Amino acid sequence: MPVRKSQSGQVGRGKGFGLGLAVVSAFAFGGSGVAAKPLIEAGLDPLHVVWLRVAGAALVMLPLTVRHRALLRERPALLAGFGLLGVAGVQAFYFASISRIPVGVALLVEYLAPALVLGWVRFVQRRPVTRAAAVGVILAVGGLACVVEVWAGLSFDALGLLLALGAACCQVGYFVLSDQGSDSGDRAPDPLGVIAYGLLVGAAVLTVVARPWNMDWAVLAGTADMDGTPVSAGLLLVWIVLVATVVAYVTGVVSVRRLSPQVAGVVACLEAVVATVLAWFLLGEHLSAPQIVGGAVVLAGAFIAQSSAPAKTSAEPVASGGPERELSARGNVA
């Protein structure tokens, strides 16, 4: 339920609660890649891992689709677009990219999304952006050049980088769709209903693309290697579905209702830090000094770009999510 601006005490408590939820969302999204990569390396196709994640979360959120079934009639295009881009597209591209490049690098590449969103705002919607926001974009691109070590002749897997960029582009569509209905005030679509139907649409699309009936289901009954330590594959899947998807999306969308998109986006920058640190300690993916510096510059650019973006005077976006990385708190959708 939207926060009533006239009640200053409730607004203050609401923002504090929203900030806590945004932090939880960033941490939950940040843990998706380190749990998914061992499953991929154990023999599961990246698309199958994405399908398991999205289908499992859709099953958990299924009761909400019944409660908000009116959205099917009122906002079918929004639900379809959110499911295709914000759920299926982001997750599929991200999981495919981490099968070829380090988790931290893939997520940092996704942080080009805020820069791309500003480009959409400036050149497609023809709305002004601040000079500081443009500086943030330049910093993000320059930092990305350090992350991928362009001076080494793009030694990183080119396809892996393109897949990560695909995830960033899908996030642009996700951000744009998040604005739909935000100027409707109390009539804005319930964000939990949008998330629930988005997961359902994403699961349906991924079922056709991933063809899970060809999956090696036996992998889920065994163990996966996490930097030399065997971990139950089923436990990793439970983490991905319940924590890195359901908890991450729900806390993210509730937090964006209580915070401005800019504040929620800044907090979401923690996701990249969490993912990189976890990948370092749990997967042994050590980054070089220039990559660490470049990652810091990417995050600084994202911080400046998002915090300098003009505030909206209408209601907040209807949904948020992910990866992982965002103008409105949210998952790698990672």
Side-chain angles (χ1 to χ4, degrees):
M1 181 179 295
V3 178
R4 295 185 182 279
K5 303 288 186 179
S6 59
Q7 300 175 346
S8 58
Q10 292 184 9
V11 169
R13 289 192 296 271
K15 286 185 176 180
F17 182 60
L19 183 61
L21 289 177
V23 171
V24 171
S25 180
F27 272 78
F29 272 122
S32 64
V34 293
K37 190 156 189 174
L39 292 177
I40 295 172
E41 293 178 340
L44 287 181
D45 186 273
L47 277 177
H48 289 159
V49 178
V50 176
W51 180 83
L52 287 168
R53 176 184 187 176
V54 175
L59 186 62
V60 173
M61 300 283 283
L62 191 60
L64 287 174
T65 62
V66 178
R67 179 180 178 183
H68 299 286
R69 56 187 177 275
L71 286 174
L72 284 174
R73 181 182 68 257
E74 298 170 356
R75 303 277 181 163
L78 172 63
L79 300 182
F82 187 82
L84 288 171
L85 297 176
V87 176
V90 172
Q91 304 306 329
F93 278 116
Y94 174 71
F95 276 22
S97 69
I98 65 173
S99 70
R100 308 182 68 96
I101 60 178
V103 170
V105 173
L107 199 52
L108 288 169
V109 172
E110 278 197 60
Y111 266 87
L112 280 180
L116 295 175
V117 169
L118 288 179
W120 173 276
V121 171
R122 177 65 183 88
F123 298 108
V124 178
Q125 296 183 337
R126 297 188 181 280
R127 291 163 48 195
V129 296
T130 66
R131 183 175 300 177
V135 170
V137 170
I138 294 173
L139 283 175
V141 174
L144 180 62
C146 294
V147 170
V148 302
E149 296 181 324
V150 292
W151 55 84
L154 287 177
S155 58
F156 265 94
D157 187 299
L159 180 57
L161 290 175
L162 286 175
L163 290 169
L165 285 171
C169 290
C170 284
Q171 281 202 44
V172 173
Y174 169 80
F175 294 147
V176 172
L177 288 172
S178 294
D179 274 337
Q180 300 302 308
S182 63
D183 56 352
S184 303
D186 292 339
R187 297 180 57 198
D190 189 290
L192 295 181
V194 174
I195 290 293
Y197 274 106
L199 288 169
L200 197 61
V201 171
V205 172
L206 289 170
T207 297
V208 176
V209 176
R211 294 180 292 180
W213 48 87
N214 294 329
M215 188 188 336
D216 185 2
W217 292 90
V219 173
L220 298 176
T223 60
D225 181 80
M226 185 174 281
D227 196 26
T229 302
V231 180
S232 169
L235 183 61
L236 291 174
L237 180 59
V238 169
W239 174 274
I240 291 171
V241 171
L242 294 183
V243 178
T245 307
V246 175
V247 172
Y249 269 112
V250 170
T251 54
V253 298
V254 174
S255 71
V256 82
R257 279 296 183 101
R258 298 173 179 270
L259 301 170
S260 69
Q262 290 82 7
V263 173
V266 169
V267 176
C269 289
L270 285 173
E271 182 185 341
V273 177
V274 170
T276 302
V277 172
L278 289 178
W280 191 312
F281 285 102
L282 298 180
L283 301 181
E285 293 184 351
H286 296 271
L287 302 182
S288 65
Q291 288 175 310
I292 294 174
V293 172
V297 174
V298 170
L299 294 178
F303 178 94
I304 294 172
Q306 294 176 82
S307 61
S308 301
K312 291 178 63 175
T313 57
S314 55
E316 269 100 34
V318 299
S320 87
E324 4 186 288
R325 7 240 175 88
E326 310 175 18
L327 279 178
S328 58
R330 147 313 205 97
N332 109 348
V333 203

